[in-house]
Every structure is written in C-alpha cells, then in structure tokens.
Amino acid sequence: MSVSRERWSSDFSRWFDWVIEEAEIYDYGRYPVKGMGVWMPFGFQIRRRIIDIIRELHDSRGHEEVLFPILIPETLLRKESEHIRGFEGEVYWVTHGGLEPLDIKLALRPTSETNITYYESLWIKSYKQLPKKYYQIVSVFRYETKATRPMIRVREITTFKEAHTVHASFSDAERQVLEAIEIYKNLFDKLGIPYIISRRPEWDKFAGALYTIAFDTLMPDSRVMQIGTAHHLGQNFTKVFDFKIQLADGSLDYPWQTSYGVSDRVVASLISVHGDDRGLVLPSIIAPIQVIIIPIPIGLEEEKKTILEEARRIADLLKSSGFRVRVDDREELRPGAKYYYWEVRGVPIRIDIGPEEVKSRVYTVVRRDTLEKYKVSEDKLISELKAIIEDIDSHLSRRAWQSMKSAIKRVRTLKELEEWAKYKRGIVEVPWCGKEECAHRVEETLEVKTLGTPWPEERAEGEYCPICGLKAVTWARYAKTY
RNA sequence: GGGGCCGUAGUCUAGCCUGGCUAGGAUGCAGGGCUUGGGCCCCUGUGGUCCCGGGUUCAAAUCCCGGCGGCCCCA
C-alpha cells in the first residue's frame, strides 16, 4: 500500500489547515486576535524538539543564549534609518501604561538588532572579546498587512531564533555569515527539509543590512517559502549606536555585525514537505512518539489481558533501547480508529499486537511513510526497527529533495520564460545582467518574486539577459512566494 | 493595497434569498449496552451570547449599516 499525496499537493492550503488542527498542533482562527495561534501540546513537543536542535547547533559553535526585553523604546528602534523604514509599517506600539499615555512609545520588538546592539556597546570594549555571538529564541511581533496564515504569516512569531554577532573586521563578519549558513544547512538536513540558498536582491535585503543570504524551500503547492536568513550588517548599527572597540594597534573603530534568524516557518515547512493525504509524516528525530503499539484485544478477558501485557513488555523492551514508544491502551477506541489517530500525527512506526503476535512472537510492523508492513520476530525487532526508521528518515529527505530539485528550471530565452510562466511551478533561473529594472520586468510580467542570485555565486559566462539582451553576469531566480 | 466568499453547540453543517413554529442534522463529549486485525453499531443524555454593536420592524439567525475574525483570488 502507498499513501496518496493528491489532496496534499492539489489543495495544499486546506490540507495544511486541516493537518494542524487534526493532529492537534496549532489552534488557529479561534484566538480573538488576528494572526495569532496557540501551540497545542503535540505541536509544542514538535516545536520543542526543533528548538532543541537549534540550541545545540548554536551552543556547539560558541553562541551564547541571552534574553532581552520584549519592549524597545521608539528612540532605540529609530536609530538606524533604513532599519526603521523597513519595519515602521508593521510595528505594534505600546502607547499607554495603565491610563497614562507614555512619553516615549514602546515597540513590541519586530526583531532585536537595536536593543541588542545597544547592550553590546556597553559590554564589548576590545577586539579581544570578539567574535561575540549571542542568540535568543523569543516571540517577535509584526503587524502583517498581507493575509495572515497559521504559522506561516502570523503577527506574533512565537519561535524567532535570532542570532546577533560582533566582529573586528568586515571579513570576520563575512566568515560568520558562512557559519550561519552551515548551521542552517545542518538544521535543515537533520529535518530533511530541502533548501535553495540565494543572495537576496538589493531591494529585498534585510532593512539595515549590507546583504542578505536566504534559505528557501519548495512547498507542496509549488510556491516558495523563505525559511531562514543571514545578514551581513556591516557597521550600520554599530555606527548609529556609536559602538566602538579598541583594536590591537590601540585605535578605536566600529565593529562589524551579522544577524541571522529562523522562525515558526521551520515547523511549518517540516509539516508541509513531508506530509501526505493521511497527515503528518515525521522524521524520527522530531517525532515525539517514534513507535506506537496498538494492542488488538480479541476474545476472552484473559486473552485481552495477555495481549495488553505483551504490548507493554515490547514497549519496555523498545524503551530500554532508546526508542520513544507508547502503548495505545485506550479501551473506547477500536484499532482502526487508533491507526488513523496516530497516522495523522505522523508517528513513524506502528506495531500491532494481537493474538497472532502473542502466539508467534512475530510482530506486525507498519511504517508511516509507505504503510509497508513487515513481520519481525522478537530477536530481530530492535535492529529491524532501527533500520526501518533510518530508511524512513532517508526516504523523507530524498523524496523532498527530489521534488524540489525537479521544480528548478533553467531557461535562457524570453520564449522559454513565457513557456515556464504558463505553469509557474517551482523556481526558474534566468541569465541576468544585474539591472534591477530587468528583474522587475520579469516579476511584473510573470507575476513572480525575485529570490535572488545563486549562493555560492555563479557566473553566467556566455549567457545573455533575455530581457535587455545584454551580457548576463549571473543567474536570477524567480518563483511564486509566500 | 484591490476584489470575492463567509461567520449558526468543541467541529462540520441546514435554515437566510421570500423576517414569524421549541434553530434541525451529523460529528464530538458523558453514561449504558454490544464489540474490537483499518474510523463498529444501538439506546439515553449533554452541549447555542445564531461573531459583536447599532438600525429597520409588532417581530431579526434571516433585511440594512459599521466593526471584528476567517478563507480564496489578484497586485
């Protein structure tokens, strides 16, 4: 048996709403504030496992976790002019304390470059303290004017991992951007989420950055979603905060900064890229429960008892080998109902234990991704489960990567581009002269967004921009985006 | 930013156009019975500010205005 992905791909938007509700991940649309949802226990566990990985990746590379206040005074937020220009339209302001109007409005942080730089300027005085890498995992608020969507475009981003680093030189900050990219590659690889890395075009870089490197992934509806960004901030913030350090030669200079972030969208993309018509399919590293055991109690009371005991014995056996396992011993549900229940929650492995299994000690093992069934004897159970789980994980990742790669098309002529536009499925790469107006022309006529240029940089030798006909310097990527 | 559709028990939904009966059903939930190898069945019960505010009317879930919220399409 295999699982169809018909609804998942052809009606993705509805599928997503359905799955986050049905799997009890995120309760959205009932909270009486637009663009805000509630993480339910099962969703919270998934989110927490992702956060654990994120922490590990940052800690192991010398990042230090901190926690800054949620409120940023207007005076601080306005220091960097490009920055505030980029965020002004979507800041929530706290204007009153009780009945008193505040002298200085307080922003609910949309991101924390400003208040963190302010503190860095107090804490860091010498090049010897550098590089310095801080991060925090917090809620940030953005008054989204576009249509909000659960987890994907929300007004409270509840899981915003933002790293902020300080460096003695431009090149060390640039090296830090590379480290950020490595961290994110690592993260997404662990989750089996495919990505394409682009340097965002000038007009779409982070407000206040020199440049932005972005991770995008392909969603089931063939649209592209940004799932991570890394910014070289140059000295833009350190200058306006008059943040100087002393260098080896005794001189004073403004240090260099980077910042990089991922959000709730990591969870959203994990759910999306691996799912199918039956619901979630979770990689084992994330699955809160990796093995669900379903007892199938048939016959006399005595026999039912034996079956349940056998289920618990196997559960203990697996637990002692490090599996996260649970017996679904609820009496009010029939086995079939339990299958659906755990399938929608993406549990990688199911084991059925009924009279047959008790007698033979050969167990029925079902994998979530393909619904293939295996008969496994007790002595081989642990090793087989490990092998199957490993196979599921690699299958999920391979499948997701394949579908993204197959959605990337390179075209060279206007005609090919227009041909592609008829379908607009995925990402198209076009030789580009580097002029903004040519990219905008493509955006307007094809109704797509510029993702940017390939990272690492790729020259387009001997290619010509199909818009203006001039020599192309690189490739530009376009897609329908979230 | 522009346009469209929508809001009725926890969830889905009928009723709305054409105002008037105790707001009907399914699912869920609780209790009971029967069952259990892919969402069993039966009985009983429970659950409603008909999104909010205002207006029209003898009378509003229904018509009108405003707000809030959701979904979809387009920029």
Side-chain angles (χ1 to χ4, degrees):
Chain A
M1 195 159 27
S2 68
V3 189
S4 99
R5 300 180 103 187
E6 167 54 31
R7 209 158 52 90
W8 171 82
S9 59
S10 68
D11 198 6
F12 170 69
S13 186
R14 240 179 279 272
W15 177 90
F16 188 80
D17 291 348
W18 165 78
V19 83
I20 59 171
E21 182 191 333
E22 194 67 21
E24 298 185 299
I25 295 167
Y26 192 72
D27 194 330
Y28 185 82
R30 297 200 284 189
Y31 194 77
V33 180
K34 183 181 168 74
M36 297 192 183
V38 177
W39 287 96
M40 298 176 72
F42 189 73
F44 193 91
Q45 286 188 64
I46 292 171
R47 173 179 172 275
R48 184 160 67 185
R49 289 193 176 277
I50 292 175
I51 290 175
D52 287 347
I53 295 171
I54 292 173
R55 277 215 169 85
E56 219 291 305
L57 289 171
H58 285 77
D59 292 350
S60 66
R61 286 176 175 78
H63 294 66
E64 298 174 284
E65 189 165 7
V66 293
L67 184 57
F68 276 72
I70 198 168
L71 295 176
I72 302 176
E74 183 176 20
T75 44
L76 228 54
L77 196 64
R78 286 200 185 278
K79 285 251 182 188
E80 213 288 330
S81 57
E82 284 301 316
H83 186 63
I84 187 63
R85 205 170 302 157
F87 283 100
E88 194 151 40
E90 44 188 67
V91 172
Y92 277 95
W93 292 105
V94 175
T95 58
H96 287 72
L99 300 175
E100 278 310 274
L102 298 175
D103 292 340
I104 296 172
K105 289 192 291 185
L106 301 170
L108 286 179
R109 63 177 160 227
T111 178
S112 306
E113 276 73 10
T114 51
N115 56 350
I116 289 183
T117 301
Y118 171 61
Y119 263 75
E120 286 166 343
S121 76
L122 301 175
W123 291 339
I124 301 170
K125 299 294 176 192
S126 157
Y127 77 99
K128 287 185 183 173
Q129 291 169 274
L130 302 184
K132 198 80 194 170
K133 312 177 206 176
Y134 298 117
Y135 76 101
Q136 61 178 2
I137 303 174
V138 294
S139 276
V140 296
F141 295 82
R142 294 179 187 176
Y143 186 77
E144 288 288 351
T145 49
K146 287 184 176 186
T148 52
R149 312 197 48 158
M151 241 184 270
I152 291 171
R153 176 165 279 113
V154 284
R155 288 183 170 178
E156 179 184 5
I157 299 165
T158 56
T159 316
F160 191 61
K161 187 287 301 174
E162 46 176 335
H164 299 269
T165 70
V166 187
H167 308 270
S169 65
F170 173 90
S171 61
D172 196 58
E174 189 141 78
R175 181 207 50 73
Q176 190 59 40
V177 171
L178 296 185
E179 183 178 87
I181 291 169
E182 277 317 302
I183 289 172
Y184 290 163
K185 278 185 174 178
N186 235 293
L187 169 66
F188 296 125
D189 287 345
K190 280 176 193 283
L191 303 177
I193 297 171
Y195 47 82
I196 183 168
I197 307 174
S198 305
R199 184 185 174 118
R200 287 279 186 258
E202 276 302 299
W203 61 90
D204 196 29
K205 64 184 187 185
F206 177 76
L210 295 184
Y211 63 84
T212 292
I213 308 295
F215 283 66
D216 293 298
T217 195
L218 184 78
M219 296 292 266
D221 56 4
S222 294
R223 297 197 337 172
V224 162
M225 185 167 79
Q226 174 175 304
I227 51 176
T229 49
H231 319 290
H232 194 310
L233 300 177
Q235 296 169 307
N236 291 344
F237 287 89
T238 58
K239 279 182 178 165
V240 295
F241 280 90
D242 197 30
F243 169 20
K244 287 181 189 161
I245 53 160
Q246 197 155 20
L247 298 174
D249 64 6
S251 65
L252 291 176
D253 197 7
Y254 300 108
W256 304 74
Q257 292 175 302
T258 79
S259 69
Y260 36 101
V262 290
S263 71
D264 296 322
R265 285 184 164 195
V266 177
V267 186
S269 61
L270 178 87
I271 291 167
S272 304
V273 302
H274 297 315
D276 63 27
D277 284 358
R278 297 202 176 202
L280 292 186
V281 184
L282 292 176
S284 62
I285 195 173
I286 294 306
I289 298 170
Q290 296 168 314
V291 181
I292 184 72
I293 299 179
I294 312 286
I296 298 162
I298 303 178
L300 304 169
E301 279 308 310
E302 192 60 24
E303 200 172 354
K304 290 184 187 174
K305 227 182 105 189
T306 314
I307 288 164
L308 199 56
E309 276 165 10
E310 179 69 352
R312 295 202 170 115
R313 188 180 70 83
I314 295 298
D316 288 340
L317 179 74
L318 297 181
K319 269 181 207 159
S320 64
S321 292
F323 292 99
R324 293 190 289 274
V325 51
R326 191 157 134 193
V327 177
D328 189 347
D329 56 6
R330 288 176 294 177
E331 288 180 24
E332 64 276 17
L333 290 184
R334 295 159 67 95
K338 293 179 183 177
Y339 297 161
Y340 283 97
Y341 183 91
W342 294 107
E343 276 166 9
V344 76
R345 285 166 178 73
V347 176
I349 299 278
R350 186 183 95 214
I351 300 177
D352 293 345
I353 296 182
E356 259 178 54
E357 286 80 2
V358 170
K359 210 174 297 166
S360 63
R361 300 236 156 144
V362 174
Y363 303 95
T364 305
V365 174
V366 187
R367 56 189 283 178
R368 172 62 184 86
D369 57 342
T370 61
L371 293 186
E372 275 173 275
K373 284 189 181 175
Y374 305 84
K375 296 282 183 187
V376 184
S377 59
E378 183 171 347
D379 56 319
K380 294 195 191 123
L381 195 56
I382 304 287
S383 61
E384 274 294 299
L385 286 188
K386 283 189 173 146
I388 294 170
I389 279 184
E390 206 171 295
D391 197 53
I392 292 174
D393 289 346
S394 71
H395 171 229
L396 293 183
S397 167
R398 223 179 321 119
R399 177 170 73 173
W401 270 101
Q402 266 169 18
S403 69
M404 192 189 80
K405 279 184 179 160
S406 69
I408 304 173
K409 274 247 163 357
R410 243 177 206 200
V411 306
R412 289 182 167 75
T413 64
L414 212 53
K415 206 174 159 206
E416 285 176 308
L417 190 55
E418 282 161 359
E419 192 59 33
W420 178 86
K422 285 183 193 163
Y423 307 100
K424 261 183 271 181
R425 302 203 74 74
I427 300 162
V428 68
E429 295 182 332
V430 187
W432 185 37
C433 59
K435 286 202 304 285
E436 190 167 333
E437 52 178 292
C438 286
H440 286 323
R441 272 273 294 286
V442 176
E443 290 189 329
E444 280 156 30
T445 53
L446 270 58
E447 298 171 333
V448 290
K449 293 281 282 181
T450 310
L451 300 181
T453 56
W455 189 96
E457 193 180 311
E458 200 179 326
R459 311 293 299 175
E461 300 289 351
E463 305 284 353
Y464 295 88
C465 176
I467 306 302
C468 65
L470 294 178
K471 272 204 165 120
V473 296
T474 184
W475 298 80
R477 292 175 172 149
Y478 303 92
K480 281 253 188 204
T481 61
Y482 269 87

